[in-house]
Amino acid sequence: MYEVTNFINGKKITLTERKLDLFNPVSGEISGHVHVANAKTVDLAVQAAKEAFSSWSQTTPAQRTKILFQYKYLLDAQKENIAKIITQEHGKTLSEAMGSVQRGIDVVNFACGLSNSLKGSYASQVGTGVDSYSLHQPLGVCVGITPFNFPAMIPLWMFPMAIACGNTFVVKPSEKDPSCAMRLVELIKEAGLPDGVVNVVHGDKETVDALITHKDVKAVSFVGSSAVAEYVHHTAISHGKRAQAFGGAKNHCVVMPDADLDQAADALVTAGYDCAGERCMAISVVLAVGDEVADQLIEKIKHKISKIKIGPGMETGVQMGPLITKQHWEKVKSYIELGKQEGAKLVVDGSNDKPKDYKEGFFMGASLFDHVKPTMRIYREEIFGPVLSVVRVPDFHTALTLINEHEYGNGTAIFTRDGYIAHTFMEKVQVGMVGINVPVPVPVAYMSFGGWKRSIFADIGMYGQESIRFYTKLKTVTQRWMPGGEKWM
Ligand code: NAD
């Protein structure tokens, strides 16, 4: 049994009575507890960050970069150990966890070069003898509330960018896998970050509410499900904060008759079932254009599913680990039952697949539905598990209309060899991140991440240039110097 406590002002702190259970998803057993920060503990963290802000915001960008470089070096060296913490608590395979840590390190890399983007702009002679310049100033204490599915990557989307801009930070990781964030902040302390600049508080709604309504918090970044994202965004802005809240997804992939179907099937299996489908950029709907495409894809995907090895994420050769909790397992299972009741054809039912030595673990194999209709709940709602739905459509325009009418707009993809169709898709699709023969089009660290519609509550993306806009305030100065000192000239 282990205990996960809060990290405030550079120290691990336990002040709260309430604890939540942590589970080993492989065995299904309780493996530890996480301490829930109440309003008093949240206040301590925010005050530590507020106090640290006065000196950190005055630290030169060059000095901040030096610490971030050292942090990047430590993260590189510790990548596998961080990934192991993720695999043990979250369940995903070690190689999936390593890949996600690398995605986070990429953002730290980008943050190391931020001085250039923070230098502002200057215009001389905007009037006679008048010059104007603008600068980006930090906001103060910023908060990051993160989901369970990427316990290193998503916190790393947030705090390195925020502190590179001169802010201080409080992270509230998912209460389901909180240990990784602790390692991330221990390492940044080791890299030389002054105490109080980044703090971690743990908990659930109680902790989140205390953070997003706290009078000294200036900005809130949130990633999680849409209902909570909407609530956090609304509450934070009504308390005067700047807020960006990223929500759920139902990502569609269109497969055109001219596509390379072997390549598309390979891509769909990875995009649908990697990380057991617990990815906001996972493909969960295939829009097969024409029955012939649908029939062929189903055969190919079915064959590939039969080869996916399920088991503990630490074991070599395992391709799919368990789901995060029993509760989540039950939710995914209930959607599979619902799909059958709604009249979809369950081509592969993986819902009861468990490795033989781990019957109590939260394992589930890959499932595949055919003949899914847009009116069905399994089409409309986010399942967030290893379930792929095939919707048969007669043509490209029907596929495009379905995507555009869906309430979510995080990611989408098309497989085709036709440049005109690909271009029309890119131009007309109402989705934030688009792949053309690329199934999971997550932008790299120097671009920015962000969906549309109910996948985002804000008008600003995460990491890349968008983060600089989010974590700074623009100040524009117009200056004129009067004559009068000529006697010294
Ligand atoms: P979640 O919404 O349950 O939890 C996210 C965070 O909100 C956690 O820190 C949690 O403690 C907190 N929280 C939960 N309920 C709350 C409440 N009622 N009030 C205040 N705070 C609350 O999400 P999850 O299950 O951890 O993560 C999965 C979801 O995240 C999926 O919907 C997935 O699509 C989404 N997600 C989105 C993105 C994106 O970039 N759009 C990325 C990753 C995950």
Side-chain angles (χ1 to χ4, degrees):
M1 282 294 162
Y2 60 97
E3 301 279 308
V4 183
T5 59
N6 303 296
F7 184 88
I8 298 172
N9 215 6
K11 290 173 204 66
K12 287 187 176 169
I13 292 190
T14 316
L15 283 171
T16 45
E17 305 280 275
R18 196 155 70 88
K19 293 182 193 177
L20 301 171
D21 292 337
L22 294 169
F23 290 89
N24 175 351
V26 168
S27 65
E29 289 163 352
I30 295 177
S31 53
H33 298 101
V34 57
H35 293 242
V36 173
N38 59 18
K40 210 170 127 208
T41 309
V42 163
D43 186 52
L44 275 183
V46 174
Q47 292 317 323
K50 189 179 174 189
E51 205 161 299
F53 180 72
S54 49
S55 54
W56 182 249
S57 57
Q58 297 306 310
T59 306
T60 61
Q63 182 58 22
R64 289 181 217 146
T65 301
K66 210 169 149 189
I67 294 169
L68 283 163
F69 259 125
Q70 182 61 15
Y71 188 41
K72 180 211 143 22
Y73 167 78
L74 291 174
L75 288 171
D76 279 337
Q78 290 291 317
K79 193 164 121 182
E80 188 166 348
N81 289 334
I82 298 167
K84 281 181 181 160
I85 298 172
I86 297 175
T87 296
Q88 276 153 5
E89 231 170 41
H90 173 284
K92 66 176 78 177
T93 67
L94 190 61
S95 67
E96 289 168 342
M98 294 270 280
S100 72
V101 179
Q102 184 56 51
R103 281 283 184 164
I105 296 175
D106 291 347
V107 177
V108 179
N109 265 337
F110 180 75
C112 286
L114 226 57
S115 327
N116 189 45
S117 308
L118 289 172
K119 66 185 193 294
S121 57
Y122 194 97
S124 64
Q125 290 293 90
V126 295
T128 308
V130 182
D131 297 340
S132 181
Y133 64 93
S134 63
L135 60 154
H136 303 278
Q137 291 194 318
L139 308 175
V141 180
C142 302
V143 161
I145 300 154
T146 59
F148 78 81
N149 64 326
F150 286 108
M153 182 181 84
I154 297 183
L156 289 172
W157 283 359
M158 298 174 180
F159 73 80
M161 294 297 291
I163 66 170
C165 292
N167 301 286
T168 54
F169 211 85
V170 183
V171 187
K172 205 302 282 172
S174 169
E175 67 279 27
K176 292 170 191 147
D177 47 13
S179 297
C180 180
M182 297 303 279
R183 191 69 196 119
L184 296 181
V185 290
E186 282 165 10
L187 287 175
I188 202 161
K189 180 179 164 87
E190 199 181 320
L193 191 76
D195 289 347
V197 176
V198 178
N199 308 274
V200 180
V201 291
H202 295 288
D204 48 19
K205 180 170 167 48
E206 180 186 2
T207 316
V208 172
D209 284 344
L211 281 166
I212 63 181
T213 58
H214 195 291
K215 66 178 176 33
D216 292 323
V217 167
K218 303 293 181 201
V220 174
S221 299
F222 172 93
V223 178
S225 55
S226 286
V228 184
E230 187 169 26
Y231 163 76
V232 166
H233 185 252
H234 177 78
T235 310
I237 59 171
S238 62
H239 283 79
K241 326 288 177 215
R242 186 176 282 193
Q244 54 176 181
F246 288 23
K250 194 81 183 177
N251 305 318
H252 296 54
C253 179
V254 182
V255 183
M256 296 299 293
D258 67 341
D260 177 335
L261 293 189
D262 285 317
Q263 187 198 32
D266 264 346
L268 287 168
V269 170
T270 332
Y273 302 120
D274 275 9
C275 297
E278 294 172 324
R279 287 197 291 183
C280 69
M281 288 294 279
I283 293 291
S284 50
V285 176
V286 183
L287 297 173
V289 178
D291 282 334
E292 208 177 309
V293 171
D295 292 340
Q296 286 189 51
L297 274 180
I298 297 268
E299 279 315 304
K300 289 178 195 293
I301 294 173
K302 220 165 82 178
H303 177 70
K304 288 176 195 297
I305 286 178
S306 66
K307 300 205 169 336
I308 297 175
K309 187 173 175 207
I310 305 166
M314 295 297 287
E315 274 181 20
T316 321
V318 163
Q319 288 157 299
M320 199 195 286
L323 298 183
I324 182 78
T325 56
K326 183 158 192 278
Q327 203 185 17
H328 189 56
W329 186 95
E330 283 164 355
K331 180 183 152 192
V332 177
K333 169 90 176 158
S334 74
Y335 272 109
I336 294 170
E337 293 307 315
L338 177 68
K340 288 194 278 185
Q341 286 160 25
E342 288 182 310
K345 181 179 172 196
L346 187 56
V347 180
V348 180
D349 181 1
S351 63
N352 293 312
D353 292 357
K354 287 182 188 273
K356 81 170 170 18
D357 296 332
Y358 303 100
K359 295 294 178 204
E360 300 305 313
F362 312 139
F363 289 96
M364 180 178 281
S367 293
L368 179 65
F369 276 111
D370 190 9
H371 295 287
V372 174
K373 303 283 179 233
T375 48
M376 295 177 181
R377 277 181 55 205
I378 60 158
Y379 169 78
R380 296 200 317 268
E381 297 172 16
E382 183 182 42
I383 301 175
F384 217 57
V387 183
L388 199 53
S389 294
V390 177
V391 178
R392 293 168 178 244
V393 291
D395 52 40
F396 169 76
H397 285 291
T398 311
L400 185 63
T401 305
L402 278 180
I403 300 173
N404 288 350
E405 285 177 352
H406 204 284
E407 65 172 325
Y408 294 116
N410 214 39
T412 190
I414 188 166
F415 278 80
T416 181
R417 287 185 169 105
D418 187 308
Y420 183 72
I421 285 185
H423 187 267
T424 308
F425 183 74
M426 175 281 291
E427 190 67 34
K428 305 252 184 237
V429 77
Q430 299 294 307
V431 171
M433 292 169 281
V434 181
I436 295 169
N437 299 315
V438 172
V440 185
V442 177
V444 292
Y446 44 91
M447 306 293 275
S448 292
F449 185 104
W452 287 12
K453 299 189 273 185
R454 278 185 68 77
S455 296
I456 193 169
F457 298 87
D459 53 7
I460 195 158
M462 217 164 285
Y463 63 78
Q465 292 297 327
E466 292 275 285
S467 263
I468 300 168
R469 215 154 60 81
F470 185 76
Y471 289 126
T472 59
K473 284 180 291 199
L474 183 71
K475 185 177 275 179
T476 305
V477 182
T478 306
Q479 64 178 12
R480 174 162 57 187
W481 298 100
M482 306 306 192
E486 291 88 339
K487 61 180 179 221
W488 295 299
M489 283 174 98

